[in-house]
């Protein structure tokens, strides 16, 4: 045991890359006699996110296999991913695609320079072997890269596999959230600031996300009838992710979230600095005219 705070600080924590066996063995025996919930929330950039997801998955597999008491799993999903949604949700997105407003006007200008801007939020439904239609929302943001998508596939696969094996799995979609780590980047701050121009998109504050996702976790592990519980019928395992999704409007927006970034940022700048931008553009035009006149260019 540590004798002072400094010893605690120097010895606290663990390395998910190098201490996998130690973490796994500890979780197998910690709080004996009590049920255990393991939350896989760690994140790193790039390929390290994939390695991190594999490390967490290895720990989970070992704990599930050897722990004597009930184990539940918890994940937080990103809305910028691919999920099965209800037909009503898909139809709402198609309705919002027809809406007018500043997003469509400004987006039309952006589309002149970027053909991938403002893509319709539509994917042809997939028909299962039983004739059931599965409606899909493509929320992939290419800028996040393939490693992010692969890391999330690992987590989703473990969630479905574990629930099928009789383990409760809380895996809810959290909304785009204005955390300090996000909005310290000027580009992300501008895009997030413009997202609300795309009905019904909303960016949540960190306190809101924390409260809602915490409540959903408590619900999932406490309610015997929740979709997270293995005895609850949900049909195809991929349906697990659409229950309790706090997606912030990504699924119902008329445009794919990966195609609205530039337009959203431009709308943010125009709404906050419209007069200043107009003055800069006007000043530049006037200066150009004077220069051209003095040099007999016009």
């Amino acid at each position: 045991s540590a004798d002072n705070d400094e010893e605690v600080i120097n010895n606290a924590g663990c390395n998910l890359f190098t201490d996998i066996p130690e973490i796994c063995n500890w979780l197998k025996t910690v709080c004996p006699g009590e049920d255990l919930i393991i939350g896989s929330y760690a994140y790193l950039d790039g390929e390290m996110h994939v390695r991190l997801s594999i490390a967490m998955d290895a720990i989970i597999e070992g704990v599930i296999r050897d722990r004597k008491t009930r184990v539940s799993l918890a994940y937080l999903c990103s809305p910028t991913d691919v999920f099965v949604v209800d037909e009503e949700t898909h139809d709402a997105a198609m309705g919002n695609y027809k809406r007018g407003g500043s997003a469509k006007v400004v987006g039309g200008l952006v589309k002149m320079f970027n053909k991938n801007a403002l893509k319709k939020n539509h994917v042809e439904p997939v028909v299962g072997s039983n004739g059931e239609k599965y409606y899909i929302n493509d929320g992939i943001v290419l800028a996040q890269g393939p490693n992010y998508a692969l890391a999330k596939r690992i987590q989703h696969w473990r969630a479905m596999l574990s629930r099928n094996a009789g383990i409760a799995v809380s895996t809810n979609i959290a909304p785009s959230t204005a955390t300090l780590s996000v909005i310290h980047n000027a580009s992300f701050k501008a895009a997030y600031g413009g997202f609300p121009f795309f009905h019904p998109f909303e960016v949540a504050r960190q306190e809101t996300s924390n409260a809602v996702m915490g409540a959903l976790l408590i619900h999932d592990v406490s309610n015997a009838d929740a979709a997270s519980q293995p005895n609850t019928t949900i049909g195809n395992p991929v349906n697990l992710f659409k229950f309790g999704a706090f997606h912030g409007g990504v699924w119902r927006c008329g445009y794919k979230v990966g195609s609205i970034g530039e337009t959203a940022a431009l709308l943010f700048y125009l709404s906050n600095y419209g007069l200043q931008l107009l003055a800069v553009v006007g000043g530049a035009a006037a200066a150009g005219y004077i220069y051209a006149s003095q040099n007999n260019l016009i």
Side-chain angles (χ1 to χ4, degrees), residues 13-241:
C14 52
N15 189 322
L16 279 166
F17 290 135
T18 60
D19 299 334
I20 294 174
E22 292 83 353
I23 297 169
C24 185
N25 289 333
W26 175 64
L27 289 175
K28 290 176 185 178
T29 57
V30 69
C31 299
E34 300 289 338
D35 293 341
L36 182 69
I37 303 171
I38 303 177
S40 298
Y41 304 132
Y43 170 81
L44 287 172
D45 289 334
E47 53 85 21
M48 295 187 74
H49 192 195
V50 178
R51 294 169 56 198
L52 196 59
S53 292
I54 294 172
M56 292 188 291
D57 193 69
I59 292 168
I60 288 169
E61 186 177 24
V63 175
I64 289 174
R65 183 185 63 240
D66 297 335
R67 188 173 170 88
K68 304 304 181 183
T69 60
R70 187 180 72 164
V71 176
S72 300
L73 305 182
Y75 298 91
L76 287 177
C77 301
S78 167
T80 54
D81 206 337
V82 178
F83 296 100
V84 168
V85 301
D86 292 327
E87 180 179 5
E88 186 270 335
T89 302
H90 170 269
D91 292 345
M94 294 304 92
N96 286 325
Y97 181 76
K98 299 175 182 178
R99 291 172 63 97
S102 56
K104 185 176 286 290
V105 173
V106 175
L109 297 175
V110 174
K111 204 170 181 66
M112 294 171 62
F113 304 95
N114 179 8
K115 64 179 182 180
N116 293 317
L118 298 198
K119 284 190 172 182
K120 183 188 290 188
N121 195 7
H122 169 74
V123 175
E124 285 296 322
V126 176
V127 180
S129 58
N130 59 354
E132 182 180 357
K133 282 187 176 182
Y134 295 92
Y135 292 85
I136 298 170
N137 181 265
D138 175 13
I140 291 289
V141 176
L142 294 180
Q144 290 181 318
N147 289 305
Y148 186 84
L150 177 57
K152 286 300 181 182
R153 297 287 72 70
I154 294 169
Q155 295 175 16
H156 292 179
W157 178 250
R158 175 59 62 186
M160 293 186 289
L161 198 67
S162 298
R163 187 181 182 280
N164 189 60
I167 295 168
V169 180
S170 174
T171 178
N172 296 305
I173 298 169
S176 300
T177 304
T179 60
L180 290 176
S181 62
V182 171
I183 61 176
H184 86 279
N185 180 297
S187 298
F188 280 114
K189 180 179 180 180
Y192 271 40
F195 280 169
F197 284 96
F198 293 85
H199 181 83
F201 216 119
E202 288 191 22
V203 175
R205 292 184 178 275
Q206 186 168 338
E207 297 82 358
T208 303
S209 288
N210 290 345
V212 174
M213 303 318 296
L216 286 172
L217 172 59
I218 294 170
H219 166 268
D220 288 346
V221 299
S222 303
N223 184 356
D225 297 323
S228 57
Q229 301 295 331
N231 294 326
T232 301
T233 301
I234 63 171
N236 193 297
V238 297
N239 288 327
L240 172 63
F241 305 96

